[in-house]
């Protein structure tokens, strides 16, 4: 009887392993769960970055406001650092948006997830709106965003054009308006990433629940074949009578 407790689990594992369909399904579930967990961790990291970008842009806004109040104190190096910082954050945010539009699109196709497809569309929409902030300001100044290799280069061109045609204060005001819009976009990106993480975590929980149900169903199918081993009673020896 002592060996029976060890024998039953071994039998279950053997039968489940022999069931190729179930084994394949479990393998797919494990791979999917790993993919989802990796995605959750990466999105959480990007959400923290977006929050950091938002804080940095607000600091830039304070500097811009100070420049508008004291235009005579503007130092070229300070202005260059500021435009470079804003441009780098804009590029980084757009990179996140494009990356997750692609990630969600691929995830949607691989795992047939309408939710991921919806988030892919939302990230594309966010990226388009974010890029249009700078694009619209440049078109108003008679410039084209596509003519410049980076957001920083585009901002510098916009600054130079605005300053030469409208003056320093007006140019700072234009840069300030772009920065304010970018703060709002960055906050929306953080919210979108957080919403996606919540939705992805919920999806993972539902997938785990389904996997548990499948396991229970398989166990219920196997149970009738697992009769408890009964020890054979010791038989009396046969005694032969010799004449």
């Amino acid at each position: 009887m002592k060996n029976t407790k060890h024998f039953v689990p071994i039998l279950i594992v053997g039968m489940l392993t022999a069931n190729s369909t179930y084994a394949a399904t479990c393998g797919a579930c494990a791979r999917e769960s790993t993919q989802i967990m990796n995605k959750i961790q990466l999105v959480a990291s990007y959400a923290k970055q977006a929050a950091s970008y938002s804080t940095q842009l607000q600091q830039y806004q304070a500097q811009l406001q100070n420049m508008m109040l004291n235009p005579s104190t503007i130092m070229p190096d300070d202005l260059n650092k500021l435009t470079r910082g804003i441009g780098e954050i804009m590029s980084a945010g757009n990179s996140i948006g494009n990356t997750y539009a692609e990630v969600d699109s691929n995830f949607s196709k691989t795992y047939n997830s309408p939710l991921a497809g919806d988030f892919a569309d939302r990230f594309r929409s966010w990226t388009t709106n974010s890029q249009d902030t700078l694009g619209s300001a440049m078109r108003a100044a008679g410039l084209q965003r596509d003519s410049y290799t980076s957001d920083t280069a585009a901002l510098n061109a916009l600054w130079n054009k605005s300053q030469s045609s409208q003056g320093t204060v007006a140019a700072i005001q234009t840069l300030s308006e772009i920065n304010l819009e970018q703060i709002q976009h960055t906050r929306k990106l953080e919210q979108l990433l957080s919403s996606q993480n919540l939705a992805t975590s919920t999806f993972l929980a539902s997938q785990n629940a389904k996997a548990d149900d499948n396991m229970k169903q398989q166990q219920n199918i196997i149970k009738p074949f697992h009769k408890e081993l009964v020890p054979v009673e010791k038989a009396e020896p046969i005694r032969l009578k010799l004449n």
Side-chain angles (χ1 to χ4, degrees):
M1 286 294 291
K2 292 182 180 179
N3 291 333
T4 305
K5 294 181 180 180
H6 299 286
F7 177 75
V8 173
I10 293 173
L11 180 59
I12 292 175
V13 171
M15 294 186 69
L16 292 181
T17 304
N19 187 331
S20 59
T21 301
Y22 181 80
T25 301
C26 282
C29 289
R31 288 192 299 273
E32 181 178 359
S33 296
T34 300
Q35 291 272 1
I36 295 172
M37 285 301 299
N38 290 339
K39 186 178 179 184
I40 289 173
Q41 293 173 358
L42 190 58
V43 173
S45 175
Y46 278 136
K48 289 181 179 179
Q49 286 186 34
S52 176
Y53 293 154
S54 179
T55 299
Q56 188 64 53
L57 289 172
Q58 291 177 59
Q59 293 175 358
Y60 291 154
Q61 191 61 28
Q63 295 178 41
L64 286 168
Q65 290 174 347
N66 184 60
M67 287 180 178
M68 282 188 284
L69 293 174
N70 304 282
S72 61
T73 63
I74 297 176
M75 300 295 293
D77 286 346
D78 293 338
L79 185 62
N80 288 334
K81 289 179 182 178
L82 194 149
T83 54
R84 183 171 63 251
I86 295 174
E88 289 175 351
I89 289 177
M90 292 176 71
S91 296
N94 291 331
S95 178
I96 292 174
N98 286 324
T99 296
Y100 264 87
E102 184 177 358
V103 167
D104 282 319
S105 179
N106 292 335
F107 191 89
S108 176
K109 293 175 183 176
T110 302
Y111 298 110
N112 192 27
S113 170
L115 180 64
D118 176 65
F119 272 104
D121 292 338
R122 292 169 67 181
F123 275 111
R124 290 191 193 97
S125 178
W126 180 89
T127 304
T128 298
N129 292 334
S130 176
Q131 291 174 336
D132 197 49
T133 294
L134 178 56
S136 296
M138 295 191 71
R139 287 191 296 271
L143 301 172
Q144 294 296 324
R145 170 63 186 86
D146 294 341
S147 300
Y148 303 91
T149 57
S150 68
D151 289 326
T152 297
L155 281 171
N156 283 328
L158 179 60
W159 163 264
N160 292 330
K161 181 69 179 292
S162 299
Q163 185 184 38
S164 62
S165 61
Q166 301 179 47
T168 301
V169 175
I172 296 174
Q173 180 63 38
T174 298
L175 193 59
S176 174
E177 290 172 356
I178 293 173
N179 189 62
L180 280 172
E181 287 196 46
Q182 200 58 41
I183 290 174
Q184 296 302 316
H185 285 310
T186 306
R187 288 173 176 169
K188 289 178 181 178
L189 177 61
E190 182 186 359
Q191 293 169 0
L192 183 57
L193 289 166
S194 297
S195 296
Q196 188 198 48
N197 234 12
L198 177 60
T200 305
S201 298
T202 302
F203 178 75
L204 177 60
S206 67
Q207 293 301 96
N208 287 340
K210 289 179 182 178
D212 289 342
D213 289 341
N214 288 336
M215 175 68 77
K216 290 177 182 178
Q217 291 175 8
Q218 291 291 332
Q219 290 175 344
N220 289 335
I221 293 173
I222 294 169
K223 279 181 181 179
F225 301 98
H226 295 160
K227 294 182 179 179
E228 187 176 359
L229 296 181
V230 179
V232 178
E233 294 182 2
K234 187 176 181 180
E236 289 292 332
I238 299 175
R239 301 180 183 280
L240 298 178
K241 293 182 179 180
L242 299 176
N243 293 328

